[in-house]
Amino acid sequence: MEFDDQFGGDIPLLQSILDSLVVGIVAIDLDAAIIVFNEAAGRLMSVSREQALGRHLLSVLPNAGLVNVLNTCRPEMGRIQVMGQRSVLTNRSPIIHRGAMIGAVSLFQDITEMEKISRELDSTKTIVRTLEEILSGAGEWMVVVDSNGIITMMSEDYAKFNGTTVFRAVGRHVTKVIENTRMHIVAHTGEAEMGEKQTIRGRELIVNRVPLMDAGRVVGAYGRVVFKDVEQLYQLASKLKVLESKVKYYEKELTQLRGARYTMANIVGSGQAISSAKLEALRAGRTDSTVLVFGETGTGKELFAHAIHASGHRRSGPFIKLNCAAVPAELLESELFGYEEGAFTGAKRGGKPGKFELAQGGTLFLDEIGDMPQAMQVKLLRVLQEREVERVGGTVTCPVNIRIIAATGRPLEDLVNDGSFRPDLYYRVNVIPIRVPPLREMPEDIEAIAESFLTRLANDTGEPKRTISPELIEALKSYNWPGNVRELQNVLERAAAMTRGETLLTEHVPGYLRRSIPKLHAGLAPNTLSHARAEAERKAIIAALDAAGGNKTKAASILQIHRVKLYDKLKRHGIKTNFKN
């Protein structure tokens, strides 16, 4: 059915009227064929009139709901429909002619921009409501004015202080509400005023006034009372002084942390060998002379170096360490002397100070000095003689005020004799030699050293401190300890980690160390069946005590014997324990 057949009249004029509308219009006949299609509909659907007319509506717009109106003969108003990337508001109605439905018509209006504006408006409203909530509930004294100085927002507490309400203040000029205000001036000039004093109702306040900008244009100003009384400012100043003193204190503490971590009190032992070494170290600490600490590996030479620094007048200065054996020979010079920017490929911008400069006013500890390359030995000797350094790539010498402590586990005399260590440097560093005794020379101190380490281990891990059985103490004293204190700590840490009980037993240490235990059951021949049976029983008792966490009653239950009999066996086997009943 053609459009002119249905409506007659001046068809071109009617079509021009429809095309002039900004809303899209689509009409269909009873077969859902398109009979009216204006230009706005074509723009929305991206289809020309010629392509649309006469075609089934669903072939042009698959999700069209206009076909439903043909079935229901009821209008559908205010429906949202998606056309490509656009949101469209549509109204659909049946077409009634001479009392009968002859088709349906739909009006489309593009609301994509309107939806965007609506979302932005909702977001703005949310922000405004949030800001109003903040202003009303934060307890702050704040005010916002527009570019003309008219109040647009004000916190309830600030309004109350000024003798008004938010409702009465909003919309009025700020000078009519707040005494001695300059908010309108800031809104005009765009220049912030921070930390200004303002008197309102006889009270001196400290306020901030900040211009509000939009696209480089001043649109208003925001004011906030920073201190509601000048006395608050004085209190803050007092707190700042306290904080400043704390910072100075922590700076001092940091300096100490950069310094020695250990003192003479950390060197455990009271035997003759260790006491003699501690006395020599204490005397060396009172001087600025170069000290050479030597001894076997694992004896605690670095511990002595820390203690010497901490006992001298340089204790407040830095304690800088460098292991000469751990740094590659080609990098050792830059580590010690530092370098200037561009001194070599990969040099940091601005250069880097060396260990000599970092140790200024304190102590430089050169560990494993016997492994220092001969080329560096010459340069170190010059520093000790001239007391000045020059960075790699630099031209300016810098005086240094440091104390040198060197350490070695190698015999320097032998290195001098074979030509790998310079004699003149040897005499420079060997001013005050201190020998740290090996652990085998101080068996009387092994128990104290072990107890000290277990206490520190418990503090570090948060676990209960382990005790050491008398049998294990005897084993520790009988062993030769080629690795010295470091090996002892390794053995104890392993034993503490592997046991579930409170006491470390001989079964918890490596087999090579157990072989140093004096033989029990000396009256029995070591290869007899009786000896083997006794030894097996002894190990079973110790294992049961360990599994029971030291509880003798539980251990007797594990062994399936009476507790009294367990006591007899403990006594017969010579097992001395600190286990619980």
Side-chain angles (χ1 to χ4, degrees):
M1 184 179 294
E2 296 298 329
F3 180 72
D4 53 350
D5 293 338
Q6 291 291 327
F7 301 103
D10 192 342
I11 302 304
L13 176 61
L14 182 57
Q15 188 66 56
S16 297
I17 293 173
L18 294 177
D19 287 340
S20 66
L21 297 177
V22 296
V23 296
I25 298 178
V26 176
I28 59 175
D29 61 17
L30 293 176
D31 296 323
I34 299 174
I35 57 177
V36 175
F37 196 87
N38 71 345
E39 290 185 359
R43 289 193 298 270
L44 288 172
M45 300 182 190
S46 300
V47 177
S48 68
R49 181 187 295 116
E50 290 74 14
Q51 293 174 322
L53 288 175
R55 294 177 60 188
H56 196 281
L57 177 62
L58 295 181
S59 67
V60 178
L61 188 64
N63 62 341
L66 186 57
V67 177
N68 297 334
V69 177
L70 296 178
N71 299 325
T72 64
C73 196
R74 293 179 181 178
E76 296 178 354
M77 312 302 290
R79 301 296 176 90
I80 303 296
Q81 185 173 347
V82 177
M83 292 185 178
Q85 300 296 321
R86 297 176 177 275
S87 295
V88 176
L89 179 67
T90 178
N91 294 324
R92 308 168 186 135
S93 301
I95 301 173
I96 307 298
H97 182 62
R98 297 174 183 174
M101 184 177 68
I102 62 172
V105 63
S106 179
L107 276 69
F108 301 93
Q109 184 174 359
D110 188 353
I111 59 171
T112 306
E113 291 300 321
M114 293 176 62
E115 279 194 334
K116 181 179 178 182
I117 294 172
S118 177
R119 286 194 297 269
E120 291 177 352
L121 183 59
D122 289 342
S123 177
T124 301
K125 287 180 178 178
T126 301
I127 293 172
V128 171
R129 283 196 300 268
T130 302
L131 183 56
E132 288 175 343
E133 289 294 324
I134 292 173
L135 286 172
S136 62
E140 296 284 350
W141 291 4
M142 298 179 286
V143 64
V144 179
V145 300
D146 63 16
S147 58
N148 296 317
I150 303 300
I151 296 176
T152 57
M153 287 185 179
M154 193 173 195
S155 64
E156 291 183 4
D157 289 348
Y158 197 28
K160 183 178 180 180
F161 173 70
N162 283 279
T164 185
T165 64
V166 175
F167 179 77
R168 286 159 51 190
V170 172
R172 298 176 63 191
H173 197 273
V174 68
T175 56
K176 303 296 184 181
V177 178
I178 303 173
E179 293 181 44
N180 303 312
T181 183
R182 289 177 52 84
M183 288 292 294
H184 58 299
I185 298 175
V186 173
H188 177 70
T189 63
E191 296 181 1
E193 297 179 356
M194 310 298 290
E196 296 290 333
K197 186 186 293 186
Q198 181 178 347
T199 303
I200 303 176
R201 302 172 72 86
R203 184 190 293 190
E204 287 188 337
L205 314 174
I206 303 298
V207 301
N208 289 341
R209 308 181 186 103
V210 182
L212 300 176
M213 312 294 291
D214 182 26
R217 182 173 58 92
V218 180
V219 295
Y222 163 76
R224 176 174 175 266
V225 178
V226 183
F227 297 104
K228 299 174 183 177
D229 196 310
V230 175
E231 183 62 29
Q232 289 182 326
L233 180 60
Y234 297 148
Q235 291 175 0
L236 179 60
S238 177
K239 290 181 180 179
L240 287 175
K241 287 183 180 179
V242 173
L243 290 174
E244 186 179 354
S245 65
K246 286 184 178 181
V247 168
K248 290 181 179 178
Y249 169 77
Y250 291 133
E251 284 179 346
K252 182 179 178 182
E253 289 293 306
L254 181 60
T255 300
Q256 292 179 355
L257 287 174
R258 285 187 64 215
R261 289 180 293 166
Y262 309 108
T263 65
M264 291 294 176
N266 296 112
I267 303 177
V268 181
S270 56
Q272 182 177 356
I274 194 66
S275 295
S276 176
K278 288 166 67 175
L279 181 60
E280 291 178 1
L282 191 61
R283 289 172 178 168
R286 301 188 185 124
T287 72
D288 255 355
S289 301
T290 303
V291 178
L292 177 63
V293 183
F294 63 96
E296 297 178 9
T297 180
T299 53
K301 296 185 289 296
E302 183 175 337
L303 178 63
F304 269 82
H306 278 267
I308 292 170
H309 172 80
S311 62
H313 68 90
R314 294 178 179 269
R315 68 177 69 91
S316 59
F319 180 82
I320 305 299
K321 302 177 293 182
L322 178 68
N323 190 317
C324 300
V327 181
E330 60 272 14
L331 299 180
L332 189 57
E333 182 177 7
S334 61
E335 281 293 314
L336 277 172
F337 292 87
Y339 55 81
E340 296 290 355
E341 181 177 343
F344 50 84
T345 303
K348 290 175 59 177
R349 179 175 297 180
K352 176 186 175 182
K355 302 297 185 184
F356 286 119
E357 291 181 61
L358 294 175
Q360 191 78 293
T363 300
L364 175 60
F365 174 51
L366 298 175
D367 198 7
E368 302 298 346
I369 194 172
D371 294 293
M372 179 178 285
Q374 283 208 346
M376 280 305 304
Q377 294 179 25
V378 177
K379 297 183 179 182
L380 173 61
L381 180 62
R382 182 182 178 279
V383 174
L384 293 176
Q385 291 174 339
E386 305 296 335
R387 293 289 170 175
E388 61 182 20
V389 296
E390 181 180 308
R391 290 188 181 185
V392 176
T395 58
V396 178
T397 58
C398 173
V400 291
N401 175 23
I402 61 175
R403 196 256 185 88
I404 299 289
I405 299 178
T408 180
R410 305 174 65 184
L412 289 188
E413 296 89 342
D414 295 346
L415 298 179
V416 171
N417 292 334
D418 64 23
S420 58
F421 199 85
R422 293 180 61 90
D424 44 5
L425 179 59
Y426 170 71
Y427 295 123
R428 277 286 182 181
V429 299
N430 194 35
V431 178
I432 301 179
I434 297 176
R435 177 179 179 269
V436 182
L439 197 55
R440 63 180 175 274
E441 294 182 10
M442 35 193 285
E444 67 278 10
D445 294 319
I446 287 180
E447 183 173 0
I449 295 172
E451 289 291 341
S452 174
F453 174 72
L454 289 175
T455 299
R456 187 167 74 251
L457 184 64
N459 292 335
D460 292 342
T461 61
E463 296 183 356
K465 178 180 177 296
R466 304 294 200 278
T467 57
I468 307 176
S469 68
E471 291 82 7
L472 183 55
I473 289 293
E474 290 304 315
L476 298 180
K477 290 181 179 180
S478 303
Y479 183 58
N480 194 44
W481 297 111
N484 293 293
V485 177
R486 187 178 294 129
E487 183 183 3
L488 173 62
Q489 292 178 348
N490 179 281
V491 167
L492 293 175
E493 185 173 355
R494 172 187 173 184
M498 299 304 293
T499 182
R500 292 177 294 176
E502 297 178 358
T503 302
L504 302 183
L505 306 173
T506 53
E507 277 65 25
H508 301 140
V509 298
Y512 68 84
L513 198 148
R514 288 200 299 270
R515 286 192 285 272
S516 66
I517 304 174
K519 293 293 183 181
L520 298 176
H521 315 294
L524 299 174
N527 294 323
T528 63
L529 183 60
S530 298
H531 177 273
R533 187 184 299 112
E535 189 65 16
E537 185 177 77
R538 178 178 177 276
K539 290 182 178 180
I541 292 172
I542 292 174
L545 286 168
D546 187 24
N551 189 300
K552 295 177 183 175
T553 302
K554 290 182 179 179
S557 177
I558 293 172
L559 294 168
Q560 297 182 358
I561 61 175
H562 195 275
R563 189 175 67 176
V564 175
K565 191 152 190 173
L566 174 61
Y567 287 141
D568 292 337
K569 290 181 179 293
L570 290 173
K571 186 176 181 180
R572 184 168 69 252
H573 288 291
I575 302 175
K576 298 177 182 179
T577 71
N578 295 319
F579 292 119
K580 304 172 184 177
N581 293 325

